[in-house]
Structures are given as structure tokens and as C-alpha cells.
């Protein structure tokens, strides 16, 4: 079910028919060149990347425990679900973004990024803050939660400032690239989502939308804002290199950015104001319109390039980010589904978390372990093969999933989601049980493959 597929060199693969006229009959050298990043500084492995992968392992262990807890095989832990989700989102995904976003921005703008000592200090601060926030939330210590959350807020402001300063110092118009717009917007929206967290857990904020409105705004800002926008900007830029093709349409990319920017604001503000039918719904339509352009661009890019398992898993995962949106009209306009609203809201997040966030985080971790080195300047040597210059390697794209396992993963996501919505029915366990087992098996195998890829890469480097 979980096999290494399609790890040959691009020139040895069989390409699909080229549907992008701008990508017609390029030579192998030109295709490999298209994967190379700009002339900016090379990317490097950081402690953030190691911590992100460690959080994926920790999330896997917690998910296994949660599965046993559902069948009353282990003692129940009240904070388990919150911890499980945030270890993958605030833990793994945020770590990967803190380690990669400044480097990607610096590389694209051809400017020097933050120094290693600065990144080290931010790394210690971020992980200490995550520990404090987790302990305070799990064991009812509001002061510790506030200190941890406040520190995360300040470090996110640092991340936003880093991108902003790099843009200010850029030359030659690189800052007008839509990807940079996504990189600026992502941490800015995250600051809003983190601010709402104070009112959710340690302080009772009296807002028109109530506690549930505040939670909805917090989720929109963090999931669709910070994580979603950062991933969308990165995939616009790196997905073509993953399939050895050019982006299908720069025009569609430029058109989608204002739709995302105009959509995320009412998506965050509307729930707090209790104006779901007007403000939130408007934001949802704008964001969804931008997302349609984005997914269409990625799909056409995939068709024009060289298919591989990693690219396919990332592409299919994009369909799940709007999973919660498919239920929004029923909640906003009071259309009955026969399912309690809290179950719909929580269950819809399951589609985002397991369907989109986790596959994208695993793919990112795989590329990081395959491509990046601690000292890229030294690792690059005189040969200049470019393997460590970018997030996507020039040769041997790592792909640990094939079509069968990708289909199994997404069917399992659907089964677990349906089982959650109808958890009061006796037959729901027949869906959620097998579905959760498949997800855990694939998740665990993916982590093993990440370790194996890293070990093989290090062994190869030492041998050469």
C-alpha cells in the first residue's frame, strides 16, 4: 500500500501529454534548470525543521492514543484532542514555516536572510512558548498560557517584520511577485488569530458572535489564513518544480491573490461580529473564488509536467482545505442537516486537518529531509549540482506514496469524517474504526520513509 514510487531522474520518466503551450519540448537541461531557485542564498536545514518533524512523530503517537481512547482501551485524557491537533498545526506546520518562510523570501528577493544566531534564539523562544502554552491550556494555568501565547505572538510579529524588511530592501521589482504577497499576508493574519486565542481560553471576551464566533474566527485566521496562505504561496512557486514544468498561468496566480486577501478579512471579522450571513459569507465566496483559480492552476501544471507520488498527494490534498466551507451555508443560513452544529463545526475541521494540513506537512517534511543540509555552501561544493539550493531537489524527487495509497488515505479521511458526524449511530464505528486505522498506518509509514530518506541521503553524502 505504501511504496516508493517514481524516484527516477526526470529524463528517465515518461511524461504525460503536454497541455501547457508554454512548456512545449524543453530539453532535459532546461527542465532541470526550471527547478533551480533564483540567485538568492541557498536554503539550509535549521532546528525548526528538525522540531517540525519531531512534532509530526509526537502527533502520530497522540493520534494512536486517541484511537485507543475512542474504544475505551486506555484511560481518557481531556486535553488529548486539542493537543493532537495543535501538535501538527502549531507544532509541526508552524515550525516548518518559521524555518522555511524567511529563507524562501530571502532567496526569492535575492537578499540575505536572518543570521543563524538569530534563528537559534527564535527557535528556543518559540518552542519554550509552545511548551508553556500547552501546559497552561492542558492543566488550567491561565498565566502560563498567556505568557506562552504572548511570546508566540511576539515571535510571529518578528516573522512578519523579517518578510517586510526583506521586501523593503529588495531591488528590481521582485517584491511584486504574488508569492511575496502571500508570505506577507500569512503571518499578519496569524497575529489576529493568536490574539483571539486570549479571549478563547484565558480571558472571557464578550463579543457579538459569542465564544463560538470567536473560536470560528480563530480557526479561520490560523488555518485558512496563516497555514493556508503560506502553503498556497509556496506551492504556487515550488509545485511546478516538483513536476518539472512551468506554472500554468502567472495571470491566474496574480488574480487569485487579491481574492484571497479580500476574502480572509471578512472570514476572520464576520464570526466575531456575529454577521455570518453577510460578512462571513462574502469572505467565503471571495476566498473560494481565489481557491478555484489556485487549484485549477496547480491541476493544469500537474498535467503539463512529470507526475510523481508526492506531487499527486499534495494536489489531491488541496481539495480538502475547503472541506469546512462545504458545510458553512447550512450553518450560516440555518438549513437543518440532522447533525448537531458543534459536531458539524468540529467534524469539518477534521477534513482540513487530516485531509489537507497533514499531507502537506508530511510532503514538506519529506522534501526538507531529502533536499536541505545544515551547511549548504559547503555541501554544494564546486560541482554546483544545485541539489541543496532549493526545497525541491534537481534530481530524484522523493515520492513515498503512489495512487493506491493516496486513494486509500482520502477515502479514510471521508470515512472518519462521516463516522464523526453520525457518532450517535451504531454503524459509525464501522467507518471511523477502519478509516482511522488506515490513516495511522499510512501516517506511520510516511514517517518511517522520511527517516529512511534522510539516512540514505546522509550516507550518500558521506560516501561521496
Amino acid at each position: 500500500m505504501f511504496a516508493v514510487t517514481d524516484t527516477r531522474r526526470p529524463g528517465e520518466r515518461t511524461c504525460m501529454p503536454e497541455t501547457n503551450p508554454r512548456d512545449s519540448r524543453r530539453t532535459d537541461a532546461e527542465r532541470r534548470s526550471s527547478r533551480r531557485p533564483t540567485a538568492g542564498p541557498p536554503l539550509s536545514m535549521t532546528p525548526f525543521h528538525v522540531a517540525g518533524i519531531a512534532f509530526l512523530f509526537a502527533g502520530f503517537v497522540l493520534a494512536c492514543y486517541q484511537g485507543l481512547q475512542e474504544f475505551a482501551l486506555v484511560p481518557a485524557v481531556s486535553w488529548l484532542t486539542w493537543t493532537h491537533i495543535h501538535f501538527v498545526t502549531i507544532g509541526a506546520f508552524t515550525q516548518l514555516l518559521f524555518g522555511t518562510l524567511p529563507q524562501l523570501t530571502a532567496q526569492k528577493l535575492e537578499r540575505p536572510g536572518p543570521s543563524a544566531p538569530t534563528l537559534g534564539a527564535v527557535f528556543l523562544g518559540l518552542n519554550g512558548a509552545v511548551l508553556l502554552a500547552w501546559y497552561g491550556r492542558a492543566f488550567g494555568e491561565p498565566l502560563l498560557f498567556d505568557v506562552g501565547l504572548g511570546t508566540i505572538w511576539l515571535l510571529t510579529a518578528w516573522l512578519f517584520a523579517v518578510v517586510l524588511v526583506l521586501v523593503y530592501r529588495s531591488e528590481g521589482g521582485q517584491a511584486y511577485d504574488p508569492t511575496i504577497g502571500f508570505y506577507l499576508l500569512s503571518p499578519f493574519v496569524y497575529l489576529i488569530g493568536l490574539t483571539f486565542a486570549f479571549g478563547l481560553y484565558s480571558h472571557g471576551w464578550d463579543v457579538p458572535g459569542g465564544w463560538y464566533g470567536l473560536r470560528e474566527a480563530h480557526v479561520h485566521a490560523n488555518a485558512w489564513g496563516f497555514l493556508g496562505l503560506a502553503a498556497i504561496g509556496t506551492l504556487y512557486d515550488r509545485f511546478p518544480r516538483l513536476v518539472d514544468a512551468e506554472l500554468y498561468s502567472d495571470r491566474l496566480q496574480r488574480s487569485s491573490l487579491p481574492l484571497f486577501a479580500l476574502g480572509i478579512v471578512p472570514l476572520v471579522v464576520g464570526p466575531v461580529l456575529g454577521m455570518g450571513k453577510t460578512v462571513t459569507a462574502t469572505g467565503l465566496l471571495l476566498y473560494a473564488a481565489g481557491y478555484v483559480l489556485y487549484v485549477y492552476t496547480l491541476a493544469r501544471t500537474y498535467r503539463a509536467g512529470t507526475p510523481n507520488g508526492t506531487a499527486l498527494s499534495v494536489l489531491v490534498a488541496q481539495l480538502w482545505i475547503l472541506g469546512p466551507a462545504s458545510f458553512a451555508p447550512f450553518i450560516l443560513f440555518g438549513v437543518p442537516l440532522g447533525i448537531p452544529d458543534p459536531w458539524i463545526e468540529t467534524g469539518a475541521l477534521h477534513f482540513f486537518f487530516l485531509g489537507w494540513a497533514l499531507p502537506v506537512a508530511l510532503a514538506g517534511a519529506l522534501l526538507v529531509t531529502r533536499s536541505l543540509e545544515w551547511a549548504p555552501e559547503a555541501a554544494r561544493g564546486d560541482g554546483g549540482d544545485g541539489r541543496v539550493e532549493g526545497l525541491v531537489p534537481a534530481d530524484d524527487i522523493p515520492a513515498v506514496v503512489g495512487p493506491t495509497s493516496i486513494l486509500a488515505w482520502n477515502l479514510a479521511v471521508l470515512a472518519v469524517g462521516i463516522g464523526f458526524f453520525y457518532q450517535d449511530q451504531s454503524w459509525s464505528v464501522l467507518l471511523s474504526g477502519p478509516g482511522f486505522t488506515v490513516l495511522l498506518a499510512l501516517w506511520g509509514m510516511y514517517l518511517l520513509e522520511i527517516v529512511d530518506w534522510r539516512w540514505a541521503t546522509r550516507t550518500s553524502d558521506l560516501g561521496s
Side-chain angles (χ1 to χ4, degrees):
M1 180 181 296
F2 220 96
V4 178
T5 62
D6 203 10
T7 59
R8 295 168 290 172
R9 293 177 180 270
E12 298 171 348
R13 301 188 189 125
T14 301
C15 295
M16 297 176 64
E18 295 180 350
T19 58
N20 184 352
R22 298 187 307 159
D23 188 42
S24 60
R25 303 198 178 280
R26 293 183 297 160
T27 66
D28 288 345
E30 288 172 332
R31 288 181 180 275
R32 282 192 293 271
S33 176
S34 71
R35 281 214 194 102
R36 297 179 185 273
T38 60
L43 306 183
S44 63
M45 179 76 76
T46 69
F48 290 106
H49 298 112
V50 177
I53 296 171
F55 270 110
L56 286 175
F57 275 93
F60 172 74
V61 172
L62 292 175
C64 290
Y65 191 95
Q66 185 174 9
L68 297 174
Q69 180 177 280
E70 292 296 326
F71 295 96
L73 298 176
V74 294
V77 180
S78 60
W79 45 261
L80 184 63
T81 299
W82 182 88
T83 302
H84 167 216
I85 293 175
H86 285 76
F87 265 34
V88 173
T89 53
I90 304 302
F93 220 122
T94 299
Q95 297 281 343
L96 293 173
L97 287 181
F98 263 78
T100 309
L101 207 60
Q103 296 192 67
L104 290 175
T105 306
Q107 187 180 78
K108 198 162 190 65
L109 297 179
E110 301 180 14
R111 306 297 301 174
S115 65
T118 299
L119 289 176
V122 173
F123 170 77
L124 293 176
L126 178 63
N127 284 275
V130 169
L131 179 61
L132 283 177
W134 169 79
Y135 186 88
R137 171 68 172 81
F139 298 98
E141 297 288 344
L143 178 59
L144 294 180
F145 178 82
D146 283 349
V147 172
L149 182 62
T151 304
I152 297 173
W153 194 98
L154 291 175
L155 293 176
T156 302
W158 168 85
L159 179 63
F160 174 72
V162 166
V163 179
L164 189 62
V165 169
L166 287 172
V167 169
Y168 178 76
R169 294 178 177 175
S170 65
E171 300 174 353
Q174 299 104 319
Y176 293 100
D177 190 301
T179 297
I180 301 301
F182 284 104
Y183 289 169
L184 276 171
L185 192 59
S186 169
F188 177 77
V189 177
Y190 192 32
L191 290 172
I192 302 174
L194 290 172
T195 302
F196 289 158
F198 285 104
L200 282 174
Y201 301 115
S202 55
H203 305 277
W205 287 6
D206 185 15
V207 298
W211 187 87
Y212 283 104
L214 196 61
R215 186 185 70 166
E216 184 180 353
H218 169 73
V219 171
H220 288 176
N222 292 0
W224 288 0
F226 177 53
L227 304 181
L229 294 175
I232 289 168
T234 301
L235 288 173
Y236 261 138
D237 192 50
R238 305 288 161 153
F239 188 81
R241 300 172 187 176
L242 193 59
V243 296
D244 203 8
E246 295 178 1
L247 187 68
Y248 172 73
S249 174
D250 294 330
R251 180 177 59 84
L252 291 180
Q253 180 191 16
R254 290 192 299 269
S255 299
S256 68
L257 176 58
L259 291 172
F260 281 115
L262 293 174
I264 194 62
V265 174
L267 274 174
V268 172
V269 175
V272 176
L273 300 178
M275 303 175 67
K277 295 181 180 180
T278 53
V279 178
T280 307
T282 300
L284 179 61
L285 289 174
L286 290 170
Y287 194 99
Y291 203 78
V292 169
L293 297 181
Y294 159 71
V295 172
Y296 178 76
T297 302
L298 257 59
R300 292 298 299 266
T301 303
Y302 180 85
R303 290 187 59 193
T306 304
N308 61 77
T310 299
L312 181 60
S313 66
V314 170
L315 178 62
V316 174
Q318 304 312 305
L319 302 177
W320 290 110
I321 194 173
L322 288 181
S326 61
F327 299 94
F330 297 97
I331 297 177
L332 293 177
F333 298 100
V335 179
L337 286 176
I339 306 172
D341 285 352
W343 289 6
I344 295 177
E345 294 174 357
T346 305
L349 290 178
H350 150 85
F351 293 122
F352 174 88
F353 169 64
L354 289 177
W356 179 82
L358 186 55
V360 172
L362 288 171
L366 178 65
L367 292 173
V368 163
T369 56
R370 172 64 178 84
S371 306
L372 303 189
E373 297 291 343
W374 289 101
E377 294 83 359
R380 190 171 55 217
D382 297 331
D385 63 0
R387 186 180 67 79
V388 297
E389 288 185 24
L391 187 60
V392 179
D395 295 305
D396 296 333
I397 299 294
V400 300
V401 289
T404 301
S405 51
I406 293 171
L407 177 63
W409 178 286
N410 287 277
L411 289 178
V413 170
L414 181 62
V416 173
I418 295 175
F420 183 88
F421 288 144
Y422 296 95
Q423 57 188 274
D424 57 341
Q425 302 295 321
S426 59
W427 51 263
S428 64
V429 70
L430 300 177
L431 291 177
S432 59
F436 207 63
T437 300
V438 170
L439 289 174
L440 288 176
L442 295 177
W443 187 352
M445 291 296 292
Y446 215 122
L447 293 175
L448 291 177
E449 290 291 345
I450 287 174
V451 173
D452 182 64
W453 269 102
R454 187 60 183 174
W455 179 262
T457 301
R458 294 295 298 165
T459 303
S460 175
D461 290 343
L462 292 174
S464 59

